[in-house]
Amino acid sequence: MKKLLAIIMSATILLIAGCSSVHEPITTIPVNSETTVGDIAGTIEGDRYVSHAGGVVFKLTGDYTINWPDADKRDQLMNDYTGIEILGPWFMWGNTASMKIDYVLDEHMKEDATKKHTLEEWNKTINYPIKSIEYIDEYKIDGKSCFALKMEIDKNGYDISSLQIYYFQDNGLLVLITVSAESFKEIDKITKNIQLA
């Protein structure tokens, strides 16, 4: 009887654990004249980062810190916003990994020009030499295909892995997710917690 009870309890725990790992649906809001920068930049809701206007959810795990670069612009209406992107949160797990989510508004950023633009941008902005770069046309996040750049960077003699993910939303936003870690295995663990609308 004790063995049967133990088996039933184990099966129940596994069933509950399996159910809790299912993604909660993303509730989205339209981007219109009432939308603010904060609506797109997102908020923390319990143990999740959510951008209802951007259509992105990230399940928060581990010991992390968050930096909000555009916090002073959160109440500004999109009709009054003149920037080409909205800087969302920058999550950091100590010195070992980070993830930054930005929302690009630039009309000139078209999907067919992404490869050229991103390489040019990386060459302009990165302070460390890129050892290797790989273009991925079908990087999967939450079952959706995204364009991605996979890079190895030499940071003062240390190899850093970086993945930049480009996801074009139907509302015209380009969600730009940049993940850096000590290895691509670590990056994959982080990206498994991303959900896209």
Side-chain angles (χ1 to χ4, degrees):
M1 183 67 174
K2 286 183 181 180
K3 283 185 182 180
L4 181 59
L5 186 57
I7 290 170
I8 292 170
M9 290 295 286
S10 296
T12 303
I13 289 168
L14 286 173
L15 182 61
I16 291 169
C19 291
S20 66
S21 67
V22 174
H23 291 307
E24 294 178 42
I26 302 174
T27 54
T28 57
I29 60 170
V31 176
N32 56 34
S33 61
E34 311 250 331
T35 306
T36 65
V37 170
D39 291 331
I40 293 175
T43 59
I44 302 300
E45 297 178 8
D47 65 348
R48 303 186 321 158
Y49 158 76
V50 180
S51 170
H52 294 287
V56 178
V57 169
F58 178 67
K59 175 90 168 147
L60 300 165
T61 60
D63 188 16
Y64 61 89
T65 57
I66 305 174
N67 183 13
W68 293 90
D70 275 349
D72 59 327
K73 300 174 186 162
R74 291 189 70 83
D75 294 330
Q76 190 172 357
L77 289 173
M78 287 304 298
N79 283 353
D80 302 325
Y81 187 72
T82 57
I84 61 168
E85 68 182 341
I86 293 172
L87 303 178
W90 188 356
F91 300 95
M92 290 158 279
W93 292 269
N95 293 325
T96 59
S98 68
M99 181 177 77
K100 193 167 183 335
I101 304 174
D102 297 322
Y103 300 90
V104 178
L105 312 168
D106 188 351
E107 291 296 321
H108 302 292
M109 184 82 162
K110 300 297 181 191
E111 195 161 3
D112 58 351
T114 303
K115 289 182 185 181
K116 181 175 182 243
H117 175 82
T118 52
L119 187 54
E120 286 172 0
E121 288 303 303
W122 270 98
N123 285 335
K124 277 192 242 173
T125 59
I126 200 152
N127 297 326
Y128 306 103
I130 297 172
K131 293 176 72 174
S132 68
I133 187 165
E134 176 187 351
Y135 297 105
I136 304 169
D137 289 323
E138 297 276 327
Y139 187 82
K140 296 285 188 189
I141 290 204
D142 192 32
K144 294 173 178 63
S145 292
C146 306
F147 172 75
L149 284 177
K150 190 175 181 180
M151 290 171 281
E152 285 285 345
I153 299 164
D154 180 357
K155 185 176 179 184
N156 300 326
Y158 294 98
D159 287 348
I160 302 291
S161 301
S162 187
L163 182 72
Q164 196 162 47
I165 302 158
Y166 296 76
Y167 184 65
F168 291 84
Q169 295 282 33
D170 292 339
N171 60 14
L173 286 176
L174 167 59
V175 181
L176 180 59
I177 303 169
T178 305
V179 187
S180 297
E182 294 176 337
S183 69
F184 286 110
K185 185 176 179 180
E186 291 303 312
I187 288 174
D188 287 340
K189 285 180 187 174
I190 293 169
T191 60
K192 282 188 172 124
N193 290 318
I194 300 170
Q195 185 181 357
L196 301 171

PDB file of all heavy atoms in Angstrom, residues 27 35 45 53 98 101 108 122 124 128 147 150-151 197:
ATOM      1  N   THR A  27      -1.452  38.171 -23.353  1.00  0.00           N
ATOM      2  CA  THR A  27      -2.519  39.088 -23.741  1.00  0.00           C
ATOM      3  C   THR A  27      -1.852  40.302 -24.386  1.00  0.00           C
ATOM      4  O   THR A  27      -0.941  40.887 -23.820  1.00  0.00           O
ATOM      5  CB  THR A  27      -3.358  39.532 -22.529  1.00  0.00           C
ATOM      6  OG1 THR A  27      -2.498  40.076 -21.536  1.00  0.00           O
ATOM      7  CG2 THR A  27      -4.130  38.365 -21.948  1.00  0.00           C
ATOM      8  N   THR A  35      -1.021  54.323 -26.928  1.00  0.00           N
ATOM      9  CA  THR A  35       0.099  53.504 -26.464  1.00  0.00           C
ATOM     10  C   THR A  35       1.227  54.392 -25.947  1.00  0.00           C
ATOM     11  O   THR A  35       1.570  55.394 -26.563  1.00  0.00           O
ATOM     12  CB  THR A  35       0.632  52.615 -27.613  1.00  0.00           C
ATOM     13  OG1 THR A  35      -0.447  51.868 -28.164  1.00  0.00           O
ATOM     14  CG2 THR A  35       1.705  51.660 -27.128  1.00  0.00           C
ATOM     15  N   GLU A  45       5.528  41.256 -14.066  1.00  0.00           N
ATOM     16  CA  GLU A  45       4.255  40.775 -13.514  1.00  0.00           C
ATOM     17  C   GLU A  45       4.530  39.438 -12.837  1.00  0.00           C
ATOM     18  O   GLU A  45       4.653  38.418 -13.507  1.00  0.00           O
ATOM     19  CB  GLU A  45       3.216  40.625 -14.623  1.00  0.00           C
ATOM     20  CG  GLU A  45       2.864  41.937 -15.303  1.00  0.00           C
ATOM     21  CD  GLU A  45       1.868  41.787 -16.442  1.00  0.00           C
ATOM     22  OE1 GLU A  45       1.315  40.674 -16.630  1.00  0.00           O
ATOM     23  OE2 GLU A  45       1.646  42.787 -17.149  1.00  0.00           O
ATOM     24  N   ALA A  53       2.222  45.221 -25.491  1.00  0.00           N
ATOM     25  CA  ALA A  53       2.247  45.863 -26.812  1.00  0.00           C
ATOM     26  C   ALA A  53       3.293  45.215 -27.707  1.00  0.00           C
ATOM     27  O   ALA A  53       3.105  45.093 -28.909  1.00  0.00           O
ATOM     28  CB  ALA A  53       2.526  47.356 -26.666  1.00  0.00           C
ATOM     29  N   SER A  98      23.702  37.716 -19.810  1.00  0.00           N
ATOM     30  CA  SER A  98      22.806  38.869 -19.865  1.00  0.00           C
ATOM     31  C   SER A  98      21.843  38.723 -21.036  1.00  0.00           C
ATOM     32  O   SER A  98      22.117  37.994 -21.999  1.00  0.00           O
ATOM     33  CB  SER A  98      23.590  40.177 -19.996  1.00  0.00           C
ATOM     34  OG  SER A  98      24.208  40.253 -21.258  1.00  0.00           O
ATOM     35  N   ILE A 101      16.348  43.318 -24.228  1.00  0.00           N
ATOM     36  CA  ILE A 101      15.210  43.309 -25.151  1.00  0.00           C
ATOM     37  C   ILE A 101      14.925  44.751 -25.564  1.00  0.00           C
ATOM     38  O   ILE A 101      14.664  45.597 -24.715  1.00  0.00           O
ATOM     39  CB  ILE A 101      13.953  42.692 -24.508  1.00  0.00           C
ATOM     40  CG1 ILE A 101      14.247  41.277 -23.994  1.00  0.00           C
ATOM     41  CG2 ILE A 101      12.798  42.675 -25.505  1.00  0.00           C
ATOM     42  CD1 ILE A 101      13.102  40.646 -23.229  1.00  0.00           C
ATOM     43  N   HIS A 108      13.009  52.014 -41.852  1.00  0.00           N
ATOM     44  CA  HIS A 108      13.998  51.586 -42.851  1.00  0.00           C
ATOM     45  C   HIS A 108      14.566  50.197 -42.558  1.00  0.00           C
ATOM     46  O   HIS A 108      15.284  49.645 -43.371  1.00  0.00           O
ATOM     47  CB  HIS A 108      15.135  52.605 -42.940  1.00  0.00           C
ATOM     48  CG  HIS A 108      14.659  53.969 -43.296  1.00  0.00           C
ATOM     49  ND1 HIS A 108      14.130  54.274 -44.523  1.00  0.00           N
ATOM     50  CD2 HIS A 108      14.601  55.108 -42.567  1.00  0.00           C
ATOM     51  CE1 HIS A 108      13.777  55.552 -44.545  1.00  0.00           C
ATOM     52  NE2 HIS A 108      14.043  56.076 -43.377  1.00  0.00           N
ATOM     53  N   TRP A 122      26.881  45.882 -35.723  1.00  0.00           N
ATOM     54  CA  TRP A 122      27.793  45.216 -34.791  1.00  0.00           C
ATOM     55  C   TRP A 122      29.209  45.761 -34.942  1.00  0.00           C
ATOM     56  O   TRP A 122      29.896  46.001 -33.958  1.00  0.00           O
ATOM     57  CB  TRP A 122      27.788  43.701 -35.011  1.00  0.00           C
ATOM     58  CG  TRP A 122      26.745  43.039 -34.176  1.00  0.00           C
ATOM     59  CD1 TRP A 122      25.502  42.655 -34.561  1.00  0.00           C
ATOM     60  CD2 TRP A 122      26.835  42.719 -32.789  1.00  0.00           C
ATOM     61  NE1 TRP A 122      24.825  42.124 -33.500  1.00  0.00           N
ATOM     62  CE2 TRP A 122      25.617  42.139 -32.410  1.00  0.00           C
ATOM     63  CE3 TRP A 122      27.834  42.864 -31.825  1.00  0.00           C
ATOM     64  CZ2 TRP A 122      25.363  41.700 -31.107  1.00  0.00           C
ATOM     65  CZ3 TRP A 122      27.585  42.423 -30.532  1.00  0.00           C
ATOM     66  CH2 TRP A 122      26.362  41.854 -30.191  1.00  0.00           C
ATOM     67  N   LYS A 124      30.067  48.667 -35.828  1.00  0.00           N
ATOM     68  CA  LYS A 124      30.118  50.037 -35.315  1.00  0.00           C
ATOM     69  C   LYS A 124      30.083  50.082 -33.794  1.00  0.00           C
ATOM     70  O   LYS A 124      30.717  50.927 -33.178  1.00  0.00           O
ATOM     71  CB  LYS A 124      28.910  50.834 -35.833  1.00  0.00           C
ATOM     72  CG  LYS A 124      29.087  51.395 -37.219  1.00  0.00           C
ATOM     73  CD  LYS A 124      27.961  52.383 -37.466  1.00  0.00           C
ATOM     74  CE  LYS A 124      27.129  51.895 -38.621  1.00  0.00           C
ATOM     75  NZ  LYS A 124      25.931  52.674 -38.842  1.00  0.00           N
ATOM     76  N   TYR A 128      34.820  44.773 -29.028  1.00  0.00           N
ATOM     77  CA  TYR A 128      35.700  43.605 -29.047  1.00  0.00           C
ATOM     78  C   TYR A 128      35.623  42.919 -30.408  1.00  0.00           C
ATOM     79  O   TYR A 128      34.585  42.944 -31.056  1.00  0.00           O
ATOM     80  CB  TYR A 128      35.287  42.620 -27.945  1.00  0.00           C
ATOM     81  CG  TYR A 128      35.224  43.277 -26.589  1.00  0.00           C
ATOM     82  CD1 TYR A 128      34.004  43.614 -26.013  1.00  0.00           C
ATOM     83  CD2 TYR A 128      36.387  43.588 -25.893  1.00  0.00           C
ATOM     84  CE1 TYR A 128      33.944  44.235 -24.779  1.00  0.00           C
ATOM     85  CE2 TYR A 128      36.340  44.211 -24.652  1.00  0.00           C
ATOM     86  CZ  TYR A 128      35.113  44.529 -24.099  1.00  0.00           C
ATOM     87  OH  TYR A 128      35.058  45.150 -22.884  1.00  0.00           O
ATOM     88  N   PHE A 147      14.922  35.408 -37.478  1.00  0.00           N
ATOM     89  CA  PHE A 147      16.270  35.564 -38.005  1.00  0.00           C
ATOM     90  C   PHE A 147      17.187  35.798 -36.810  1.00  0.00           C
ATOM     91  O   PHE A 147      16.814  36.471 -35.851  1.00  0.00           O
ATOM     92  CB  PHE A 147      16.331  36.750 -38.965  1.00  0.00           C
ATOM     93  CG  PHE A 147      17.735  37.086 -39.386  1.00  0.00           C
ATOM     94  CD1 PHE A 147      18.403  36.291 -40.299  1.00  0.00           C
ATOM     95  CD2 PHE A 147      18.384  38.180 -38.848  1.00  0.00           C
ATOM     96  CE1 PHE A 147      19.702  36.595 -40.666  1.00  0.00           C
ATOM     97  CE2 PHE A 147      19.672  38.489 -39.220  1.00  0.00           C
ATOM     98  CZ  PHE A 147      20.340  37.688 -40.130  1.00  0.00           C
ATOM     99  N   LYS A 150      24.506  34.517 -34.704  1.00  0.00           N
ATOM    100  CA  LYS A 150      25.213  33.781 -33.659  1.00  0.00           C
ATOM    101  C   LYS A 150      26.681  34.168 -33.760  1.00  0.00           C
ATOM    102  O   LYS A 150      27.281  34.041 -34.831  1.00  0.00           O
ATOM    103  CB  LYS A 150      25.003  32.288 -33.937  1.00  0.00           C
ATOM    104  CG  LYS A 150      25.448  31.362 -32.869  1.00  0.00           C
ATOM    105  CD  LYS A 150      25.051  29.937 -33.277  1.00  0.00           C
ATOM    106  CE  LYS A 150      25.443  28.944 -32.232  1.00  0.00           C
ATOM    107  NZ  LYS A 150      25.069  27.572 -32.603  1.00  0.00           N
ATOM    108  N   MET A 151      27.258  34.662 -32.660  1.00  0.00           N
ATOM    109  CA  MET A 151      28.623  35.176 -32.723  1.00  0.00           C
ATOM    110  C   MET A 151      29.480  34.668 -31.585  1.00  0.00           C
ATOM    111  O   MET A 151      28.976  34.421 -30.483  1.00  0.00           O
ATOM    112  CB  MET A 151      28.607  36.701 -32.667  1.00  0.00           C
ATOM    113  CG  MET A 151      28.059  37.339 -33.905  1.00  0.00           C
ATOM    114  SD  MET A 151      27.814  39.089 -33.682  1.00  0.00           S
ATOM    115  CE  MET A 151      26.303  39.106 -32.771  1.00  0.00           C
ATOM    116  N   ALA A 197       4.201  36.462 -28.946  1.00  0.00           N
ATOM    117  CA  ALA A 197       2.792  36.445 -29.354  1.00  0.00           C
ATOM    118  C   ALA A 197       2.667  36.119 -30.831  1.00  0.00           C
ATOM    119  O   ALA A 197       3.549  36.390 -31.606  1.00  0.00           O
ATOM    120  CB  ALA A 197       2.152  37.779 -29.063  1.00  0.00           C
TER     121      ALA A 197
END
